[in-house]
Amino acid sequence: MSDTLTHLDDQGRANMVDVSDKAATRREATAQAWVQMRTETLQMIQSNGHPKGDVFAVARIAGIQAAKRTHELIPLCHALLLSSIHVELKACEPDRVQITSTCRLNGQTGVELEALTAASVAALTIYDMCKAVDRAMVIGDIRLLSKQGGRSGHFQWENPQ
């Protein structure tokens, strides 16, 4: 890992990183988010009893769209031509949903922000679709699980517990 903030120039000003001299390599990142809710809310999602439709399907599409638009949300993020975006939602009884997103490309910069954005927006979409019945939902534990490729190599999140 670097000891410097790459998005600051030598005078401390915000700066988009120049990746033009970097070689294109295969890059992949996986991120995760959790949504905790009432047991009844999760049961409604699982039984497809939501009047707005399939909550997981809508959240999956939202996560995919968000990953593709990350550069529009994060000011110094590069626009990337992603080759794969996978968003998985899993009901974890009695009261949580686990969201895992993986983004891939062959390119000059990493896809960590795209994976994190996909997981975050999928979680926000679950909240949006279910807020009428459960405003106390909690979105949390958003984190990068792993990343591969590029100069900094491989990163794997390890639970310190």
Side-chain angles (χ1 to χ4, degrees), residues 40-111:
E40 298 81 17
T41 306
L42 184 60
Q43 289 170 349
M44 179 188 66
I45 292 170
Q46 289 178 292
S47 68
N48 286 323
H50 197 290
K52 291 184 181 180
D54 184 340
V55 173
F56 282 7
V58 175
R60 184 176 303 107
I61 296 295
I64 291 167
Q65 287 180 318
K68 294 177 1 179
R69 303 186 101 180
T70 300
H71 68 282
E72 296 176 14
L73 302 169
I74 309 297
L76 302 176
C77 201
H78 292 86
L80 302 179
L81 184 59
L82 297 169
S83 57
S84 174
I85 306 165
H86 181 74
V87 178
E88 181 180 328
L89 295 98
K90 177 181 167 189
C92 298
E93 295 182 5
D95 61 358
R96 298 191 322 155
V97 173
Q98 177 188 44
I99 302 160
T100 307
S101 62
T102 301
C103 294
R104 290 186 193 95
L105 63 64
N106 233 353
Q108 296 169 297
T109 189
V111 291

Side-chain angles (χ1 to χ4, degrees), residues 3-19:
D3 289 338
T4 61
L5 297 174
T6 58
H7 286 84
L8 298 178
D9 67 14
D10 56 2
Q11 294 159 349
R13 297 177 300 199
N15 184 45
M16 188 173 190
V17 175
D18 183 357
V19 297

